[in-house]
């Protein structure tokens, strides 16, 4: 069976409303002959004359009267499909969004983000997952709605990204640590005992690369997989942790921080999403909430 010409629905709606071929043609910007041809096609397709002569005018058949009550909702639904979705009512939204976050984001921004989301949409639930790698498969498959982290080479080329904030490395020690008794120089810093943070168990990181460029090395006593573990060790020992400042803002209670006495490249934290979610109203609102809470301070 051949597919029907759905443009005929518009012609039928106007014809039944106008009850006149010439007036229907004028409303649709067609010639009377083109409107007559459309009526002929409608009659052939539906198998009913639809409009029949009665004196000088046209009157609808019973089939046409029945169709007139049905065609309006069909065209309204089609109109909604072919236009941007503006139906989002946040206070009625009931959904769960999954966010895969680099370490420190939940600890530092999680509470504020939950409160911000609840202010607009109390029926929305946030599910936070740790980001253990830069694989874009969870975004691509829809298992994750939004990610945060540093742009990496493993990221899929189609993934959308937007900057949230910049961060820099700082040094952190326990209160009263001998290192803080005098000015912290490059030599004194390098001579201390250090904690290396490496999710993949590597023997060095960006801190070591920066030291090597200055002809220095540091003594790494232990390696941990995250910033929270590094800060916990620093709090209970004389070890030195070097961590991103803003990432760990709410995790350094009771610790002393200091600027590193040498330059280390900073990092840019972004949020990522799959392009199929780009125009989704609820997802756009979620991204706006994340930008508001986690974005660069004015």
């Amino acid at each position: 069976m051949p597919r029907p010409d759905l443009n005929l629905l518009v012609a039928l709606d106007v014809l039944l409303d106008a009850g006149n071929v010439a007036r229907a043609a004028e409303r649709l910007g067609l010639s009377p002959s083109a409107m007559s041809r459309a009526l002929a096609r409608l009659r052939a397709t539906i198998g009913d004359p639809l409009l029949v002569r009665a004196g000088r005018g046209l009157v609808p058949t019973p089939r046409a009267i029945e169709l007139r009550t049905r065609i309006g909702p069909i065209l309204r639904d089609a109109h909604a499909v072919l236009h941007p979705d503006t139906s989002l009512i946040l206070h009625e939204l009931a959904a769960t969004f999954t966010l895969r976050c680099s370490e420190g984001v939940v600890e530092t921004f999680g509470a504020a983000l939950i409160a911000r989301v609840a202010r607009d949409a109390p029926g929305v639930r946030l599910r936070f997952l740790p980001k253990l790698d830069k694989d874009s498969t969870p975004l691509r498959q829809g298992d994750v709605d939004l990610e945060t982290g540093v742009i990496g080479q493993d990221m899929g080329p189609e993934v959308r990204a937007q900057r949230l904030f910049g961060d820099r490395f700082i040094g952190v020690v326990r209160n009263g640590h001998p290192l803080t008794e005098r000015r912290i120089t490059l030599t004194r810093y390098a001579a201390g005992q250090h904690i290396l943070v490496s999710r993949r168990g590597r023997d060095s990181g960006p801190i070591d690369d920066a030291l090597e460029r200055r002809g220095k090395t540091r003594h790494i006593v232990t390696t941990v997989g995250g910033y929270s573990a590094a800060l916990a060790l620093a709090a209970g020992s004389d070890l030195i942790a070097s961590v991103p400042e803003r990432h760990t803002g709410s995790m350094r209670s009771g610790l002393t921080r200091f600027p590193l006495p040498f330059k280390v490249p900073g990092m840019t934290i972004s949020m990522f999403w799959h392009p199929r979610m780009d125009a989704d109203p609820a997802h756009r609102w979620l991204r706006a909430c994340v930008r508001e809470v986690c974005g660069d301070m004015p």
Side-chain angles (χ1 to χ4, degrees):
M1 181 181 294
R3 292 183 178 180
D5 182 358
L6 297 182
N7 290 320
L8 291 176
L9 290 175
V10 177
L12 177 60
D13 183 53
V14 175
L15 276 167
L16 295 180
D17 185 62
N20 180 282
V21 172
R23 285 196 298 268
E26 184 179 354
R27 285 168 58 176
L28 289 178
L30 300 175
S31 65
S33 59
M35 197 75 248
S36 295
R37 289 195 296 272
L39 178 57
R41 291 180 61 197
L42 281 164
R43 287 167 169 166
T45 300
I46 296 174
D48 186 272
L50 298 174
L51 294 170
V52 296
R53 180 73 54 186
R56 295 185 177 181
L58 297 173
V59 294
T61 65
R63 174 66 167 155
I65 294 172
E66 175 205 353
L67 290 175
R68 187 172 183 182
T69 63
R70 296 170 55 188
I71 195 170
I74 292 173
L75 289 177
R76 285 194 295 271
D77 288 344
H79 184 275
V81 168
L82 297 174
H83 285 75
D85 185 5
T86 58
S87 63
L88 179 66
I89 303 175
L90 287 173
H91 70 270
E92 296 180 359
L93 180 63
T96 297
F97 292 105
T98 300
L99 288 74
R100 197 168 75 134
C101 302
S102 49
E103 192 193 6
V105 170
V106 176
E107 293 86 345
T108 301
F109 303 106
L113 182 58
I114 291 171
R116 174 63 187 87
V117 165
R119 191 173 78 202
D120 285 349
V124 167
R125 176 186 175 191
L126 299 182
R127 178 169 53 214
F128 295 103
L129 299 178
K131 185 171 183 178
L132 305 177
D133 54 51
K134 298 183 183 296
D135 185 9
S136 301
T137 301
L139 280 178
R140 189 178 296 115
Q141 294 179 341
D143 298 325
V144 170
D145 296 294
L146 200 62
E147 286 193 5
T148 65
V150 178
I151 296 176
Q153 294 181 348
D154 296 336
M155 185 175 299
E158 78 277 19
V159 172
R160 303 287 172 86
Q162 187 174 58
R163 173 191 167 97
L164 288 175
F165 61 90
D167 211 345
R168 65 168 186 166
F169 283 98
I170 58 170
V172 178
V173 294
R174 65 170 177 82
N175 292 339
H177 192 286
L179 185 65
T180 62
E181 294 175 356
R182 292 183 287 125
R183 187 171 70 90
I184 301 174
T185 63
L186 173 60
T187 299
R188 293 188 66 229
Y189 170 87
Q193 295 184 318
H194 292 264
I195 305 164
L196 171 65
V197 179
S198 175
R199 286 182 304 179
R200 300 181 182 181
R202 293 174 176 170
D203 296 330
S204 64
I207 302 293
D208 303 284
D209 295 338
L211 286 171
E212 185 178 358
R213 288 193 291 269
R214 289 155 181 80
K216 297 285 187 180
T217 59
R218 60 175 177 167
H219 175 46
I220 296 174
V221 174
T222 186
T223 301
V224 297
Y227 304 134
S228 58
L231 293 172
L233 288 177
S237 69
D238 281 342
L239 298 178
I240 303 169
S242 299
V243 298
E245 182 176 28
R246 194 165 181 202
H247 262 89
T248 59
S250 63
M251 303 162 63
R252 301 194 308 268
S253 178
L255 293 167
T256 298
R257 66 174 182 172
F258 59 90
L260 295 179
F262 55 97
K263 289 185 178 180
V264 181
M267 63 181 73
T268 297
I269 306 304
S270 302
M271 63 176 172
F272 315 110
W273 66 95
H274 196 272
R276 74 172 181 281
M277 304 302 296
D278 205 39
D280 180 76
H283 199 277
R284 293 175 66 180
W285 164 77
L286 175 65
R287 299 198 303 266
C289 290
V290 173
R291 283 195 304 272
E292 180 179 328
V293 172
C294 307
D296 277 318
M297 297 293 186

